Amino acid sequence: LEELVLAGFVGVRFNPYLWPDGQPMSGTCEDGADGSGMAVYRRCGELNIPVGVMCFKGLGLHYEDILNLISKSPKTTLILDHMGFCALNEKGDQAFQQLLSLADYPNVMIKVSALFRNTGDVDQFPYDKVRKLRFEPLLERFGAKRLMMGTDFPYVLETEGEYEGAVNAVKSWLEGEERDAVMGGTAELAFGKWGQTREG
C-alpha cells in the first residue's frame, strides 16, 4: 500500500462483494476473519488516504459493517459511492435514513454520483426528485464540505443528459462556496490537489 501511495495512488475502494461469503469488511482475526480488510482500512488512515465503499446492492446490507469500520478506525476517511445506492422507493427510503445517520461520524463523506441509479421508477433526468428527496437532505446533514460530485463514468454516457447533463444538474442545485466544495473542493480535501503527492 505504501508503494502505491508513493507511486501516486490517492485512494482505495472496498467492494464488499469480493469478501468471502459471511465475512465482513471490518472483520478481525479475533472475529474469525482474516482481518485483511480492517488492516488495510486502518493503514489507509495512517497514510491519510480515503477508502471508498461501493454498496451495489444497497447500503442496508452493509450498514453495520460500515459502522464497525468507521468506529474502529476514526482516522480513516470513508467515502460512500453513489449516495449509498438509496433509490427512490421504500427500501431506498429506509437505507437513506441510515445514510443520514452517518453524518454523526466526521470521517464519512458522500459521493453525489450516479444520479440515474438513485431514481427508482419515479424520477429521471434532470433528477428533480433526487434533488429534493436525496441531495438536499444530504446537504443539510453533511454539509457541502463532506459531499463530492461524481458521475459514474463511463456508464453515465448511456443515460439521458450524459456526463455534461449530470454535472450541470448538480451544479445548478448549488451556488457560491457550497458549489465550489461539492464540485471539486471536497474531492481535493479527500484526495489532495491534482498533481500533488499525498503526504502521510
Side-chain angles (χ1 to χ4, degrees):
L1 188 58
E2 290 86 345
E3 291 179 1
L4 292 173
V5 172
L6 289 173
F9 284 75
V10 295
V12 168
R13 173 175 279 171
F14 278 12
N15 178 344
Y17 311 105
L18 296 180
W19 264 255
D21 286 345
Q23 287 202 21
M25 298 177 288
S26 61
T28 62
C29 296
E30 292 78 11
D31 303 327
D34 69 10
S36 59
M38 194 67 241
V40 169
Y41 189 82
R42 282 197 176 108
R43 188 64 179 134
C44 285
E46 294 166 356
L47 294 170
N48 195 30
I49 60 172
V51 176
V53 179
M54 180 74 79
C55 300
F56 291 105
K57 298 178 183 178
L59 175 63
L61 293 174
H62 310 288
Y63 179 69
E64 294 298 329
D65 198 11
I66 287 168
L67 284 179
N68 284 332
L69 286 173
I70 60 182
S71 61
K72 289 178 180 178
S73 183
K75 285 180 60 176
T76 307
T77 296
L78 184 142
I79 301 171
L80 271 171
D81 284 306
H82 301 347
M83 298 188 286
F85 286 89
C86 298
L88 296 176
N89 54 41
E90 184 176 354
K91 182 179 178 181
D93 290 345
Q94 293 171 356
F96 189 63
Q97 294 308 308
Q98 295 176 317
L99 182 62
L100 291 177
S101 75
L102 295 178
D104 294 337
Y105 300 88
N107 55 330
V108 177
M109 293 179 171
I110 307 297
K111 194 179 291 183
V112 182
S113 53
L115 304 178
F116 63 95
R117 297 190 190 275
N118 287 276
T119 58
D121 295 323
V122 299
D123 198 16
Q124 57 188 358
F125 180 80
Y127 311 115
D128 293 331
K129 291 181 181 177
V130 170
R131 173 186 181 176
K132 180 179 180 181
L133 299 175
R134 295 293 183 256
F135 178 77
E136 290 180 357
L138 285 172
L139 182 62
E140 181 178 349
R141 287 296 304 275
F142 283 85
K145 291 185 178 179
R146 292 170 65 194
L147 302 179
M148 68 177 75
M149 174 64 194
T151 61
D152 197 18
F153 183 88
Y155 306 103
V156 69
L157 299 178
E158 302 169 6
T159 67
E160 184 179 357
E162 300 186 5
Y163 182 93
E164 185 176 4
V167 170
N168 288 338
V170 175
K171 189 183 293 185
S172 72
W173 301 345
L174 297 154
E175 57 185 27
E177 292 182 357
E178 288 186 333
R179 177 186 289 177
D180 293 341
V182 175
M183 301 308 296
T186 302
E188 288 195 337
L189 287 175
F191 299 112
K193 292 188 179 295
W194 293 109
Q196 292 186 0
T197 303
R198 295 298 300 267
E199 296 181 0

